[in-house]
Amino acid sequence: MTSPAGSAPRILLIDSNVYFSKRLCDALQQQGFEVTASTQAAYALTMLEWNAPAAILCATNLREMGALEMAPILRADANSAHIPLIAIGGGGAGAGDQALLEAYRAGCDDFVDRRRAPSDIAAHVRSFLVSRQDGFQPTQMLTSAETDLSGNLQHLDLPGVIQMLGQARQTGALHINAVDADGIIFFEGGEISHAECGMLFGDEAVTQIVATCQGAVKGVYKFVYGATAAQRTVLRSATDLLLDAMREFDESQRDAEEGSENNSDQITERNSDLDAQLDNVEKKSL
């Protein structure tokens, strides 16, 4: 959440609903942001050349250009490609996940439901920007004072840890370090809400972490109670993700075994050829 020394991070808010915009501006200012409001996305884009904001909040239902249409334009310009774009749209029962996916596909960095309280949206924006700037701490850097639950994956495998946290309906961040995986999985009330592993995030990150850690001889996990993610990227259940990860692990094991068998057959063939050559040499020598 970078900004010039001594100044507050600036948010560019684009929404045609003046009443909603005013309430959200006040909430963002209470979170320590400076806010510039606009009712038109096309006009707001002209501001980026001389005063780039820390983030753009843009409604999806604007008449000419909304967040989904703005995203490709921002990403195509090197001067604006780095600016986070958060879409503001309607959710509703069963529609929230679909709206989030549409926002991600369009190139937005996050999505918030405009029916949430302005104070909640402002807190979400601040949490999102802090998370985007700081990222997550590597597992080994977390001290015992920062974690309430930790252990060795050799004694309790990762699926067991995930199921335990789910059954206990815990909220927090599970940091994992094993083999080539250094990742994090966020829980909200026992449900997985967000995950990161290398360049992967969301469902793919969860399956990658679990599949990589499966059967690991060395590995540690540390759980930080109460930690929350700035965004929700995991849309499937933990059970489905664990099953996918187990299938990936089994397939990789089978591929490795088949490769080993093929190598063994090739070695046997080479040994047979070598024996035949030695026999021919012995016969000629006689």
PDB file of all heavy atoms in Angstrom, residues 186-199:
ATOM      1  N   PHE A 186      -6.119 -20.219   3.862  1.00  0.00           N
ATOM      2  CA  PHE A 186      -6.947 -19.477   4.802  1.00  0.00           C
ATOM      3  C   PHE A 186      -8.273 -20.205   5.038  1.00  0.00           C
ATOM      4  O   PHE A 186      -8.871 -20.734   4.102  1.00  0.00           O
ATOM      5  CB  PHE A 186      -7.239 -18.071   4.280  1.00  0.00           C
ATOM      6  CG  PHE A 186      -6.084 -17.119   4.398  1.00  0.00           C
ATOM      7  CD1 PHE A 186      -5.172 -16.974   3.371  1.00  0.00           C
ATOM      8  CD2 PHE A 186      -5.916 -16.366   5.552  1.00  0.00           C
ATOM      9  CE1 PHE A 186      -4.106 -16.081   3.474  1.00  0.00           C
ATOM     10  CE2 PHE A 186      -4.845 -15.481   5.671  1.00  0.00           C
ATOM     11  CZ  PHE A 186      -3.948 -15.348   4.628  1.00  0.00           C
ATOM     12  N   PHE A 187      -8.717 -20.189   6.297  1.00  0.00           N
ATOM     13  CA  PHE A 187      -9.992 -20.782   6.682  1.00  0.00           C
ATOM     14  C   PHE A 187     -10.911 -19.701   7.243  1.00  0.00           C
ATOM     15  O   PHE A 187     -10.463 -18.811   7.973  1.00  0.00           O
ATOM     16  CB  PHE A 187      -9.783 -21.860   7.753  1.00  0.00           C
ATOM     17  CG  PHE A 187      -9.080 -23.090   7.268  1.00  0.00           C
ATOM     18  CD1 PHE A 187      -7.696 -23.104   7.122  1.00  0.00           C
ATOM     19  CD2 PHE A 187      -9.784 -24.242   6.954  1.00  0.00           C
ATOM     20  CE1 PHE A 187      -7.034 -24.226   6.679  1.00  0.00           C
ATOM     21  CE2 PHE A 187      -9.133 -25.375   6.503  1.00  0.00           C
ATOM     22  CZ  PHE A 187      -7.755 -25.374   6.368  1.00  0.00           C
ATOM     23  N   GLU A 188     -12.196 -19.799   6.903  1.00  0.00           N
ATOM     24  CA  GLU A 188     -13.223 -18.945   7.504  1.00  0.00           C
ATOM     25  C   GLU A 188     -14.331 -19.846   8.022  1.00  0.00           C
ATOM     26  O   GLU A 188     -15.075 -20.436   7.238  1.00  0.00           O
ATOM     27  CB  GLU A 188     -13.779 -17.949   6.481  1.00  0.00           C
ATOM     28  CG  GLU A 188     -12.826 -16.827   6.118  1.00  0.00           C
ATOM     29  CD  GLU A 188     -13.472 -15.799   5.205  1.00  0.00           C
ATOM     30  OE1 GLU A 188     -14.714 -15.858   5.061  1.00  0.00           O
ATOM     31  OE2 GLU A 188     -12.753 -14.960   4.640  1.00  0.00           O
ATOM     32  N   GLY A 189     -14.417 -19.969   9.331  1.00  0.00           N
ATOM     33  CA  GLY A 189     -15.433 -20.832   9.922  1.00  0.00           C
ATOM     34  C   GLY A 189     -15.306 -22.271   9.494  1.00  0.00           C
ATOM     35  O   GLY A 189     -16.306 -22.980   9.350  1.00  0.00           O
ATOM     36  N   GLY A 190     -14.089 -22.726   9.265  1.00  0.00           N
ATOM     37  CA  GLY A 190     -13.853 -24.107   8.860  1.00  0.00           C
ATOM     38  C   GLY A 190     -13.799 -24.334   7.363  1.00  0.00           C
ATOM     39  O   GLY A 190     -13.361 -25.390   6.913  1.00  0.00           O
ATOM     40  N   GLU A 191     -14.244 -23.366   6.568  1.00  0.00           N
ATOM     41  CA  GLU A 191     -14.219 -23.495   5.114  1.00  0.00           C
ATOM     42  C   GLU A 191     -12.962 -22.823   4.549  1.00  0.00           C
ATOM     43  O   GLU A 191     -12.581 -21.740   5.010  1.00  0.00           O
ATOM     44  CB  GLU A 191     -15.459 -22.866   4.491  1.00  0.00           C
ATOM     45  CG  GLU A 191     -16.763 -23.562   4.854  1.00  0.00           C
ATOM     46  CD  GLU A 191     -17.944 -22.957   4.129  1.00  0.00           C
ATOM     47  OE1 GLU A 191     -17.728 -21.960   3.410  1.00  0.00           O
ATOM     48  OE2 GLU A 191     -19.058 -23.469   4.286  1.00  0.00           O
ATOM     49  N   ILE A 192     -12.353 -23.455   3.558  1.00  0.00           N
ATOM     50  CA  ILE A 192     -11.181 -22.861   2.913  1.00  0.00           C
ATOM     51  C   ILE A 192     -11.650 -21.705   2.042  1.00  0.00           C
ATOM     52  O   ILE A 192     -12.521 -21.875   1.184  1.00  0.00           O
ATOM     53  CB  ILE A 192     -10.431 -23.903   2.065  1.00  0.00           C
ATOM     54  CG1 ILE A 192      -9.957 -25.060   2.947  1.00  0.00           C
ATOM     55  CG2 ILE A 192      -9.244 -23.263   1.366  1.00  0.00           C
ATOM     56  CD1 ILE A 192      -9.276 -26.173   2.165  1.00  0.00           C
ATOM     57  N   SER A 193     -11.079 -20.524   2.257  1.00  0.00           N
ATOM     58  CA  SER A 193     -11.512 -19.336   1.518  1.00  0.00           C
ATOM     59  C   SER A 193     -10.474 -18.843   0.514  1.00  0.00           C
ATOM     60  O   SER A 193     -10.831 -18.262  -0.512  1.00  0.00           O
ATOM     61  CB  SER A 193     -11.852 -18.203   2.495  1.00  0.00           C
ATOM     62  OG  SER A 193     -10.702 -17.835   3.263  1.00  0.00           O
ATOM     63  N   HIS A 194      -9.199 -19.036   0.816  1.00  0.00           N
ATOM     64  CA  HIS A 194      -8.145 -18.510  -0.057  1.00  0.00           C
ATOM     65  C   HIS A 194      -6.885 -19.341   0.142  1.00  0.00           C
ATOM     66  O   HIS A 194      -6.640 -19.869   1.230  1.00  0.00           O
ATOM     67  CB  HIS A 194      -7.867 -17.043   0.282  1.00  0.00           C
ATOM     68  CG  HIS A 194      -6.733 -16.428  -0.496  1.00  0.00           C
ATOM     69  ND1 HIS A 194      -6.761 -16.290  -1.866  1.00  0.00           N
ATOM     70  CD2 HIS A 194      -5.527 -15.930  -0.088  1.00  0.00           C
ATOM     71  CE1 HIS A 194      -5.634 -15.728  -2.277  1.00  0.00           C
ATOM     72  NE2 HIS A 194      -4.870 -15.505  -1.224  1.00  0.00           N
ATOM     73  N   ALA A 195      -6.081 -19.461  -0.916  1.00  0.00           N
ATOM     74  CA  ALA A 195      -4.823 -20.203  -0.833  1.00  0.00           C
ATOM     75  C   ALA A 195      -3.829 -19.649  -1.834  1.00  0.00           C
ATOM     76  O   ALA A 195      -4.210 -19.172  -2.911  1.00  0.00           O
ATOM     77  CB  ALA A 195      -5.050 -21.695  -1.088  1.00  0.00           C
ATOM     78  N   GLU A 196      -2.553 -19.704  -1.468  1.00  0.00           N
ATOM     79  CA  GLU A 196      -1.472 -19.263  -2.346  1.00  0.00           C
ATOM     80  C   GLU A 196      -0.321 -20.256  -2.255  1.00  0.00           C
ATOM     81  O   GLU A 196       0.015 -20.745  -1.182  1.00  0.00           O
ATOM     82  CB  GLU A 196      -0.960 -17.876  -1.937  1.00  0.00           C
ATOM     83  CG  GLU A 196      -1.985 -16.755  -2.012  1.00  0.00           C
ATOM     84  CD  GLU A 196      -1.423 -15.428  -1.535  1.00  0.00           C
ATOM     85  OE1 GLU A 196      -0.190 -15.245  -1.618  1.00  0.00           O
ATOM     86  OE2 GLU A 196      -2.203 -14.585  -1.065  1.00  0.00           O
ATOM     87  N   CYS A 197       0.280 -20.522  -3.421  1.00  0.00           N
ATOM     88  CA  CYS A 197       1.467 -21.381  -3.466  1.00  0.00           C
ATOM     89  C   CYS A 197       2.239 -21.026  -4.727  1.00  0.00           C
ATOM     90  O   CYS A 197       1.807 -21.361  -5.836  1.00  0.00           O
ATOM     91  CB  CYS A 197       1.073 -22.854  -3.477  1.00  0.00           C
ATOM     92  SG  CYS A 197       2.486 -23.985  -3.483  1.00  0.00           S
ATOM     93  N   GLY A 198       3.362 -20.330  -4.549  1.00  0.00           N
ATOM     94  CA  GLY A 198       4.116 -19.875  -5.708  1.00  0.00           C
ATOM     95  C   GLY A 198       3.274 -18.926  -6.536  1.00  0.00           C
ATOM     96  O   GLY A 198       2.717 -17.954  -6.033  1.00  0.00           O
ATOM     97  N   MET A 199       3.120 -19.222  -7.814  1.00  0.00           N
ATOM     98  CA  MET A 199       2.322 -18.389  -8.716  1.00  0.00           C
ATOM     99  C   MET A 199       0.854 -18.811  -8.732  1.00  0.00           C
ATOM    100  O   MET A 199       0.039 -18.164  -9.386  1.00  0.00           O
ATOM    101  CB  MET A 199       2.888 -18.465 -10.141  1.00  0.00           C
ATOM    102  CG  MET A 199       4.313 -17.954 -10.265  1.00  0.00           C
ATOM    103  SD  MET A 199       4.449 -16.208  -9.814  1.00  0.00           S
ATOM    104  CE  MET A 199       3.545 -15.464 -11.174  1.00  0.00           C
TER     105      MET A 199
END
